Amino acid sequence: MACHVEHGGYGHMSIGALPQIVIVHGAGGAIGAAVAQKFATRGARLFLAGRHVDAVEATAERLRASTSVPVDVAEVDASDERAVNAHTDAVLAEAGRLDVLLNAVGIPLVQGVPLLEISLDDVLAPSQAWLRTQFLTARAAARHMTRQGSGTILTLSASPARASIAGVGGFAAACAAVEALTRTFAAEVGPAGVRVVCLRPQRILETIGDTPDLPMPIDEFTEFLASLTTSRSLPTLAEVASMAVFLAEGGARSMNGAVVNLTCGMSPD
């Protein structure tokens, strides 16, 4: 896959400090775009990547229109080891360091089919895909961050990691696997000054769209998701993005190997 970086213009720096250097994989998707937007408001220099470069470029254009921060775009398949390594190396060569990595790429999912009827391949696919991409991007970033002695790696999970929900196929196992991977990475790179934290939201309100994950009308599906939470509500993209920035800007320095619960109370821990 291509890893050429297209450069945007330089924007403002945070007063008294260099801007954070941030890679966002899956920047063409809802979560990746929202997090990129939030970092842009903080003056970060953004390196946006994704398999579908047109979607990533659309995110970049919105940021360029609303902020003056530098935004670079690259076509990267986050499941391709060589492409991920080459892109990360290119960012370091261009920016000189890497402060934050977020991987928000999508994964294949088959939901709404009972485990007694679903195929083995459909059960295994989410775990294989999510572990592969989260591992490759985290490892590429961590290799550089450990040498510089600082950095924050943000992984992404979801509420089924710690909840018993019928009909989610292999997704719950995939979420739990990413959280376990987060803890292992944190234990290994934490002594070098690198933090690894997982974001675990409940299904985000703006990402539901018109097609429910389970076989029911969209209104019922949304109400069902909210009913699983103690607050009877769903997290928003803005809330997830704000937490990502908070974790990366030093306010949560003592958090490492943790899972940040953004499930509106669906999972208690």
Side-chain angles (χ1 to χ4, degrees):
M1 298 295 292
C3 64
H4 174 68
V5 175
E6 299 177 5
H7 304 298
Y10 285 85
H12 68 280
M13 293 186 178
S14 301
I15 296 175
L18 293 173
Q20 287 192 310
I21 307 301
V22 180
I23 293 178
V24 178
H25 286 278
I31 295 176
V35 171
Q37 175 68 53
K38 190 65 177 179
F39 272 109
T41 66
R42 306 292 292 174
R45 180 175 182 183
L46 296 167
F47 290 85
L48 307 183
R51 189 174 58 173
H52 304 292
V53 71
D54 289 346
V56 179
E57 186 59 52
T59 298
E61 287 301 316
R62 291 194 297 272
L63 298 182
R64 292 169 185 148
S66 61
T67 72
S68 60
V69 300
V71 183
D72 301 350
V73 170
E75 180 182 351
V76 182
D77 180 351
S79 67
D80 183 325
E81 182 174 7
R82 279 197 272 186
V84 168
N85 290 341
H87 175 254
T88 309
D89 290 345
V91 170
L92 266 292
E94 176 69 23
R97 69 179 198 283
L98 175 59
D99 300 308
V100 185
L101 166 79
L102 169 71
N103 182 337
V105 303
I107 59 170
L109 287 176
V110 174
Q111 299 191 92
V113 180
L115 290 178
L116 296 181
E117 301 172 14
I118 196 170
S119 72
L120 174 62
D121 287 345
D122 286 341
V123 169
L124 295 180
S127 292
Q128 292 172 336
W130 222 356
L131 274 179
R132 181 183 182 89
T133 181
Q134 293 286 345
F135 170 73
L136 289 176
T137 56
R139 183 181 65 178
R143 283 172 170 168
H144 291 285
M145 289 177 174
T146 53
R147 286 196 291 269
Q148 72 189 22
S150 65
T152 301
I153 296 170
L154 300 174
T155 60
L156 187 65
S157 176
S159 52
R162 296 290 294 169
S164 298
I165 308 173
V168 298
F171 186 47
C175 294
V178 170
E179 294 186 5
L181 183 70
T182 299
R183 291 190 290 271
T184 304
F185 258 120
E188 294 189 3
V189 303
V194 181
R195 296 165 51 249
V196 189
V197 182
C198 183
L199 296 166
R200 183 210 291 161
Q202 161 67 316
R203 184 63 184 271
I204 299 169
L205 184 62
E206 298 99 321
T207 66
I208 295 175
D210 299 323
T211 305
D213 299 336
L214 302 178
M216 61 180 68
I218 188 64
D219 291 344
E220 291 183 19
F221 179 60
T222 303
E223 291 176 4
F224 165 70
L225 291 175
S227 73
L228 298 175
T229 73
T230 56
S231 62
R232 297 299 186 266
S233 63
L234 298 176
T236 66
L237 285 171
E239 291 166 348
V240 175
S242 293
M243 180 54 68
V245 171
F246 171 74
L247 291 169
E249 287 192 336
R253 187 185 60 81
S254 60
M255 293 180 66
N256 192 27
V259 176
V260 178
N261 188 336
L262 300 170
T263 66
C264 293
M266 179 179 177
S267 56
D269 62 350

